[in-house]
Amino acid sequence: MKKILSVLAVTIIVATACTKQNATPTAPINETVDTTSAGTDLKYSGAFSNGAEGEIKGTANIYVQAGKYQLELKDFSVTNGPDLHVYLAKEIAATNFIDLGKLKSTSGNEVYAFTGTPDFMEYKYVLIYCQQYSVLFGQTQLLP
């Protein structure tokens, strides 16, 4: 019984900690990828599903334009938390990932440019992850 109470207490502390201090901005953003430009191709897409904390909605799209990759979060919303980052990851466990930076806002349409050419057969997940407390807020698997 004591062990169960300890686990419950730790779970409550982590859950509440990821929603209070250092919260992500909430003002909606409206960035988009210019899909009318010649050579802009949608390569991968996926719909978000909830992680361990809160709720998440929207889609993640990977575009390539003139040899450069961009991740677009479209019609996106997520429960707020501190230190939320956008990861391109090999697995949902967030052990092997490319950190695309801090989440710009908890809602709207956001674009993250990145360099290099990740192997999307390996880096097939987009994660919204609370880096400070190691808590997954949501994920999607990218599909061609």
Side-chain angles (χ1 to χ4, degrees):
M1 182 67 166
K2 196 173 192 178
K3 188 174 183 176
I4 293 172
L5 289 175
S6 296
V7 170
L8 182 59
V10 169
T11 302
I12 291 170
I13 289 168
V14 169
T16 57
C18 273
T19 58
K20 290 185 180 179
Q21 60 188 354
N22 302 322
T24 301
T26 58
I29 291 181
N30 195 23
E31 299 176 333
T32 58
V33 172
D34 181 7
T35 58
T36 62
S37 293
T40 301
D41 295 316
L42 174 63
K43 294 294 188 182
Y44 303 94
S45 187
F48 279 101
S49 56
N50 295 335
E53 178 69 25
E55 293 184 21
I56 193 167
K57 295 177 183 172
T59 58
N61 300 311
I62 299 283
Y63 288 92
V64 64
Q65 183 178 55
K68 296 182 181 177
Y69 287 90
Q70 298 179 61
L71 167 67
E72 175 188 60
L73 304 182
K74 186 149 180 75
D75 301 323
F76 178 77
S77 69
V78 66
T79 302
N80 205 344
D83 203 23
L84 294 181
H85 282 244
V86 180
Y87 290 170
L88 186 59
K90 289 185 176 183
E91 66 282 309
I92 295 173
T95 345
N96 299 295
F97 59 87
I98 300 167
D99 188 347
L100 300 182
K102 284 193 168 216
L103 186 66
K104 297 174 185 178
S105 176
T106 59
S107 65
N109 301 307
E110 305 176 24
V111 177
Y112 298 84
F114 54 98
T115 58
T117 308
D119 180 354
F120 289 102
M121 296 308 291
E122 288 188 36
Y123 288 92
K124 57 186 174 183
Y125 297 98
V126 174
L127 311 178
I128 305 301
Y129 197 78
C130 174
Q131 198 172 62
Q132 183 176 0
Y133 295 103
S134 300
V135 176
L136 179 66
F137 275 60
Q139 76 279 337
T140 183
Q141 182 174 359
L142 297 168
L143 301 171

